[in-house]
Amino acid sequence: MAAAREAVEEAGKILQDGGLVAFPTETVYGLGGDALNPESSRKIYAAKGRPSDNPLIVHICRWEDMSLIVREIPETAKKLGKAFWPGPITMILEKSDRVPRETTGGLSTVAVRMPSDPTALSLIRAAGGYVAAPSANASGRPSPTLAKHVEEDLGGRIEMILDGGQACIGLESTIVDLTEEIPTILRPGYITKEMLEEVLGKVEIDGAILPEGCKTAPKAPGMKYRHYAPKAELTIISGEEEAVVKRINALLKEAEKKGLRSGVIATDATAGRYGATFVKSAGSREREEETARELYRILREFDDEAVDVIYSEAFEESGIGQAVMNRLLKAAGHRMEMAGGAV
Ligand code: TXA
Ligand code: MG
């Protein structure tokens, strides 16, 4: 679903005048401001309640527009652009003087992405070509995948929200740092390491985003923040399906004895097997992309329902499943146990 043309034109004017507009992208909703206007970037940080050392992604709609904002375009960027843009991947490159430090959180590099969502592309064009946009959530909440999530978090604090329906991917873009000798993934997403390696050859993953790396400082400043933590205590249970169902049901009984409200993140195949008031299916276990699309909505719903504890099944780490588990582990503060034994 694309937003109406008049609405996009109006939104473009708001951005040109230094205002803020939330808009759909294929990953999550973004909170846009003019990337070349330092005042707009300041407003973005204020509206989200986000620390101003956490840089913003600059969204473009034409490959030619890259040259104004980066110092040089390496071969790796050309290859990635050709393979995956417009699409859910963000490249980190050395910035030019045209990009204000307010936009890059004081860094000398800039994050650039060309989204594929048609509303996003028309808006960027209408705004003059450069739209700085973090995810359009209040700092500390899950990224919005529906316009109503943006309304809940930022309604009344920004000039306009463009509604483009549900974001079709549901998790933020893959971020790849191209300023290093070997391209490095700073945040996993829909475009996986394997997909990148097919185009670039060797690719590394920033140690800080691996499960065992939570103590090293991540290179994407945003990944260092505790990020979203649900109001409830979230625990992930991994293992064989039968063992997981049994263990979660045992945990639910314990929670009930303590008088706690509990929730479960299940899959289509298991959702009917849990004795909790709030059981939500993250889709079919065979289709990780369904889980990616529904995850943030589910976590927001649990917050609204004020549950005390959430138990989630673990998901396969293949394809976008890797990004799903990355976000789920963060939300759980890395609390994960193996059904039938400790991890
Ligand atoms: O899918 C997405 O990327 C969405 C949509 C709206 O495009 N945007 C998004 O932006 O997720 P945000 O601000 O929520 O996350 C951007 C991440 C942060 O972790 C930030 O620290 C990192 O990108 N980042 C931005 N510029 C960077 C830079 N120059 N060097 C390293 N990390 C950077
Ligand atoms: Mg974000």
Side-chain angles (χ1 to χ4, degrees):
M1 175 182 119
R5 213 181 74 208
E6 299 74 37
V8 173
E9 289 305 319
E10 187 191 339
K13 286 208 186 72
I14 293 172
L15 293 177
Q16 296 217 18
D17 291 343
L20 304 185
V21 174
F23 63 99
T25 84
E26 70 279 20
T27 57
V28 299
Y29 275 73
L31 172 58
D34 178 356
L36 306 182
N37 179 348
E39 195 45 48
S40 300
S41 293
R42 272 189 220 111
K43 281 191 197 164
I44 291 177
Y45 290 112
K48 273 184 65 102
R50 171 173 176 147
S52 59
D53 67 344
N54 190 0
L56 308 174
I57 296 175
V58 179
H59 296 68
I60 60 172
C61 62
R62 283 176 302 239
W63 175 261
E64 312 82 88
D65 294 342
M66 275 270 268
S67 47
L68 184 83
I69 53 171
V70 304
R71 224 171 50 205
E72 58 171 340
I73 303 177
E75 261 329 289
T76 46
K78 288 182 194 150
K79 287 184 184 161
L80 285 188
K82 213 165 176 186
F84 302 117
W85 272 1
I89 185 157
T90 298
M91 309 182 200
I92 308 290
L93 296 162
E94 299 294 341
K95 81 173 193 72
S96 76
D97 293 339
R98 286 301 300 275
V99 186
R101 292 260 173 184
E102 282 78 359
T103 301
T104 63
L107 297 179
S108 60
T109 52
V110 60
V112 192
R113 167 160 122 81
M114 192 194 295
S116 64
D117 182 282
T119 302
L121 288 170
S122 336
L123 175 67
I124 299 163
R125 195 168 304 118
Y130 302 94
V131 175
S135 49
N137 51 288
S139 197
R141 300 218 68 204
S143 295
T145 54
L146 291 166
K148 78 165 191 195
H149 297 159
V150 182
E151 181 63 45
E152 283 163 17
D153 283 14
L154 303 175
R157 314 181 71 166
I158 60 178
E159 276 77 3
M160 192 174 175
I161 301 172
L162 285 174
D163 191 345
Q166 184 175 18
C168 63
I169 293 180
L171 295 180
E172 306 85 347
S173 62
T174 306
I175 301 180
V176 56
D177 185 355
L178 299 178
T179 66
E180 301 278 356
E181 185 105 44
I182 300 172
T184 305
I185 297 174
L186 306 186
R187 179 172 74 182
Y190 181 84
I191 308 288
T192 60
K193 180 168 189 267
E194 293 69 32
M195 290 159 84
L196 292 172
E197 282 184 331
E198 244 171 66
V199 178
L200 296 179
K202 191 172 166 50
V203 170
E204 283 183 344
I205 298 188
D206 185 20
I209 58 178
L210 296 171
E212 65 275 20
C214 13
K215 287 185 195 75
T216 26
K219 223 188 144 191
M223 299 300 275
K224 83 177 173 230
Y225 294 103
R226 173 78 204 285
H227 234 210
Y228 167 67
K231 291 176 190 154
E233 184 181 277
L234 167 63
T235 307
I236 305 165
I237 314 294
S238 70
E240 296 286 330
E241 186 170 293
E242 283 310 310
V244 168
V245 172
K246 207 169 142 206
R247 177 65 183 145
I248 291 182
N249 273 317
L251 288 164
L252 289 170
K253 279 227 173 68
E254 280 173 34
E256 197 186 341
K257 268 193 220 138
K258 291 184 199 148
L260 299 174
R261 276 159 82 87
S262 50
V264 177
I265 304 178
T267 49
D268 288 350
T270 56
R273 301 181 61 195
Y274 293 111
T277 321
F278 301 102
V279 180
K280 298 180 197 295
S281 173
S284 151
R285 188 162 281 288
E286 285 73 51
R287 291 190 291 273
E288 283 90 29
E289 67 276 10
E290 287 183 10
T291 312
R293 201 178 306 134
E294 302 305 333
L295 182 66
Y296 286 149
R297 175 187 59 79
I298 288 176
L299 290 170
R300 275 179 180 263
E301 283 177 10
F302 279 135
D303 277 353
D304 295 342
E305 289 152 357
V307 300
D308 303 299
V309 287
I310 305 168
Y311 301 106
S312 177
E313 296 181 10
F315 298 93
E316 252 353 286
E317 296 213 27
S318 61
I320 196 172
Q322 205 173 68
V324 169
M325 282 306 285
N326 169 267
R327 307 305 195 277
L328 196 58
L329 276 162
K330 280 186 127 197
H334 291 268
R335 228 181 342 261
M336 173 144 116
E337 72 164 79
M338 177 94 173
V343 154

